[in-house]
Amino acid sequence: MIRSEFKNVLVVVAHPDDAELGAGGSIARWVEDGAVVRTVVCTNGDKGTKDGLSPLALAQIREKEQLAASKALGVRETLFLRHRDGELEDERAFRHQIAFLIRHFKPDTVVTHDPWRPHYQHPDHQAVGHAAFKGVIYARDDNFLPELGCAGIRAHHTNTLLYTNALAPDFFVDIEAVFRKKIRAIGCHKSQIRTLRVTERRVRQRSEETGRAAGLRLAEGFTIARMR
Ligand SMILES: [Zn+2]
């Protein structure tokens, strides 16, 4: 039997705009279906180039853009861990941060980057994917992080993990009805977009390609792991 999933969703991503690009349509769908969705952005995004801006100024702009994008999708809360962009490592303290958030928010589903994509991917995506997976494991057993248990923050079992940008997705979400919403949310990341129309064309093309594998017009694809 599949226990609850997609009702309380924690999206853990590396950069501002990753959630919208990888899962924006699915987030909109889940929210419309009554889910609570929260987004955790792990870096401050200060390497996402913008001519003439200091990294600090860029990071501040990108947080505002992320909040606007989250609002456009109906995300309940957005948390910024503010690690340095491009320098994330899958190390213990980072995993603990994620495990703490999982125990606190008690998601039935965690969405994160696929860390096993071969040959090419952003190193932050890899670090976040690995740390989020391990965070799920650390969160689900009271013998991990006993100091949290002492503080009354008890273990929480996450039922489902979804990995974005998977090479061979095996779980699809129909995003045709919410495609405009996804594009509006992506459009909030103004510092990252030169022409929204070009971005929209690219996103549409990708959604069509993904959809073809599932018999849908527009879809987002994930690799799904159900945790027994
Ligand atoms: Zn990214």
Side-chain angles (χ1 to χ4, degrees):
M1 191 189 87
I2 298 167
R3 284 168 289 188
S4 169
E5 56 186 6
F6 318 123
K7 300 274 185 291
N8 179 356
V9 181
L10 192 66
V11 183
V12 185
V13 291
H15 308 109
D17 82 6
D18 286 338
E20 289 68 40
L21 286 166
S26 305
I27 292 169
R29 279 281 313 271
W30 295 325
V31 169
E32 286 184 7
D33 290 346
V36 172
V37 180
R38 295 182 175 88
T39 301
V40 180
V41 180
C42 297
T43 77
N44 62 9
D46 70 357
K47 307 287 195 303
T49 48
K50 175 78 176 171
D51 298 345
L53 278 179
S54 70
L56 178 61
L58 178 59
Q60 288 170 337
I61 287 170
R62 294 197 71 186
E63 282 200 6
K64 287 202 184 94
E65 291 173 346
Q66 181 61 62
L67 290 173
S70 292
K71 195 172 170 198
L73 296 177
V75 168
R76 169 80 57 96
E77 269 176 279
T78 304
L79 293 97
F80 298 100
L81 301 187
R82 299 185 177 125
H83 291 284
R84 292 168 71 107
D85 192 350
E87 298 176 24
L88 262 182
E89 298 289 343
D90 164 29
E91 45 90 32
R92 190 174 291 272
F94 180 38
R95 293 177 213 154
H96 286 194
Q97 276 190 312
I98 296 172
F100 171 81
L101 292 172
I102 290 169
R103 286 196 184 184
H104 180 62
F105 290 122
K106 300 179 172 48
D108 55 51
T109 305
V110 168
V111 180
T112 191
H113 303 280
D114 178 357
W116 294 285
R117 257 180 93 91
H119 309 308
Y120 172 77
Q121 70 168 315
H122 195 295
D124 287 342
H125 292 189
Q126 202 168 38
V128 170
H130 280 303
F133 168 70
K134 289 166 191 166
V136 165
I137 303 296
Y138 289 15
R140 73 178 183 177
D141 187 333
D142 276 321
N143 286 340
F144 284 102
L145 303 172
E147 68 275 23
L148 292 187
C150 289
I153 302 167
R154 305 304 303 271
H156 170 73
H157 181 93
T158 301
N159 295 333
T160 304
L161 261 160
L162 287 185
Y163 295 107
T164 63
N165 292 334
L167 279 188
D170 56 6
F171 182 84
F172 299 89
V173 176
D174 183 349
I175 63 163
E176 187 178 356
V178 291
F179 187 75
R180 295 302 320 157
K181 225 182 228 189
K182 171 168 173 147
I183 294 299
R184 261 204 306 283
I186 291 171
C188 293
H189 296 281
K190 290 191 173 68
S191 69
Q192 305 302 297
I193 292 168
R194 292 209 185 276
T195 322
L196 186 57
R197 198 171 300 171
V198 174
T199 304
E200 177 173 352
R201 200 180 312 140
R202 192 164 43 84
V203 173
R204 180 177 287 280
Q205 212 168 29
R206 190 151 172 228
S207 306
E208 285 171 351
E209 280 165 21
T210 305
R212 266 197 285 281
L216 297 166
R217 278 163 56 93
L218 297 169
E220 284 170 352
F222 305 87
T223 296
I224 190 164
R226 290 198 167 97
M227 318 289 282
R228 305 292 172 204

